[in-house]
């Protein structure tokens, strides 16, 4: 809904208006999983609150989400279906700026022991130390709401900027695999009729 497409990091990126843009995948893509990973490239136009990157629709059984800002400028990573608990977050101060492509990876491994081993986050290929709320579960639980990109159901928490190359894995990526994703070479825009700034 209300998506533009323009050349991004890898071919065409989806452009979100920050108000009501969203992509509904049509299904709950991660349900009853003991491991999964999200990898996504994002380019923020605006670092205001409530930038939904990947999320399930609202209501009970909210499901997984990767979200920037909840009035505090943090990125939240929530692997299960319990809203606002059992999750990790980190401050983005000095890590993320506007108008720059950033790779964000969320890795969940329910078979591991301890919050820090069960839920990990990487930004620009580097592991980041999360602050945890509650206990990261051993499974995602049953999620029935559809997975959204850049928004969340009927709520107006839309992403501000561009999202490209969303990848969802049914396994916990290793740090070397995350590095491989980060080091993939971006595509070059070879289309005609591009704007060129005249510098004199």
């Amino acid at each position: 809904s209300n998506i533009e497409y323009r050349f991004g990091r890898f071919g065409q990126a989806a452009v979100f208006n920050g108000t009501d843009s969203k992509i509904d995948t049509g299904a709950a893509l991660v349900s009853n999983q003991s491991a999964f990973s999200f990898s996504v490239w994002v380019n923020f136009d605006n670092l205001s609150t409530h930038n939904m990157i990947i999320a399930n629709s609202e209501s009970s059984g909210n499901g997984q989400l990767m979200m920037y800002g909840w009035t505090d400028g943090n990125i939240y990573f929530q692997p299960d279906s319990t809203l606002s608990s059992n999750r990790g977050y980190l401050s983005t101060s000095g890590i993320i700026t506007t108008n720059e492509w950033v790779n964000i990876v969320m890795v969940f491994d329910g078979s591991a022991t301890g919050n820090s081993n069960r839920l990990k986050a990487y930004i620009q290929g580097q592991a980041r130390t999360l602050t945890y709320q509650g206990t990261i579960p051993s499974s995602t639980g049953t999620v029935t709401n559809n997975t959204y990109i850049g928004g969340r159901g009927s709520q107006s928490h839309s992403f501000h900027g561009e999202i490209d190359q969303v990848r969802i894995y049914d396994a916990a990526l290793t740090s070397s695999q995350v590095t491989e994703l980060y080091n993939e070479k971006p595509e070059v825009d070879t289309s005609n009729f591009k704007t060129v700034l005249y510098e004199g």
Side-chain angles (χ1 to χ4, degrees):
S1 302
N2 298 314
I3 297 293
E4 274 184 64
Y5 291 95
R6 69 172 69 123
F7 192 85
R9 177 83 181 181
F10 300 95
Q12 296 296 303
V15 183
F16 298 80
N17 62 22
T19 303
D20 55 2
S21 296
K22 68 191 71 168
I23 295 174
D24 182 354
T25 66
L29 298 183
V30 181
S31 181
N32 291 315
Q33 296 292 315
S34 60
F36 75 90
S37 303
F38 289 154
S39 174
V40 60
W41 284 86
V42 296
N43 189 343
F44 291 88
D45 285 345
N46 188 314
L47 290 177
S48 64
T49 59
H50 300 116
N51 273 284
M52 294 294 173
I53 301 172
I54 298 175
N56 283 72
S57 60
E58 75 281 6
S59 76
S60 60
N62 189 59
Q64 303 78 25
L65 60 80
M66 181 191 293
M67 173 184 69
Y68 169 84
W70 192 266
T71 73
D72 54 16
N74 294 329
I75 286 190
Y76 285 87
F77 301 89
Q78 179 175 312
D80 73 339
S81 58
T82 305
L83 179 62
S84 299
S85 60
N86 303 338
R87 64 188 183 182
Y89 67 90
L90 64 89
S91 171
T92 62
S93 177
I95 298 176
I96 291 179
T97 59
T98 57
N99 302 310
E100 176 187 33
W101 281 105
V102 179
N103 179 233
I104 304 175
V105 179
M106 169 183 176
V107 177
F108 169 70
D109 182 0
S111 66
T113 302
N115 284 351
S116 61
N117 293 316
R118 285 187 173 180
L119 180 63
K120 298 179 181 180
Y122 299 81
I123 297 181
Q124 301 296 60
Q126 297 182 29
R128 303 290 175 171
T129 300
L130 295 175
T131 298
Y132 296 94
Q133 297 175 321
T135 301
I136 305 304
S138 60
S139 171
T140 62
T142 300
V143 179
T144 57
N145 298 321
N146 289 355
T147 302
Y148 285 77
I149 300 170
R152 189 172 79 179
S154 61
Q155 294 190 358
S156 58
H157 302 328
S158 180
F159 187 79
H160 295 253
E162 299 171 80
I163 297 179
D164 203 352
Q165 200 188 56
V166 177
R167 291 176 169 178
I168 302 175
Y169 299 88
D170 61 354
L173 296 178
T174 65
S175 59
S176 60
Q177 288 172 325
V178 172
T179 299
E180 186 178 349
L181 286 174
Y182 173 66
N183 287 330
E184 285 187 348
K185 292 183 179 180
E187 293 183 18
V188 177
D189 187 0
T190 58
S191 60
N192 295 320
F193 305 107
K194 296 188 297 293
T195 301
V196 177
L197 298 179
Y198 177 65
E199 297 180 351

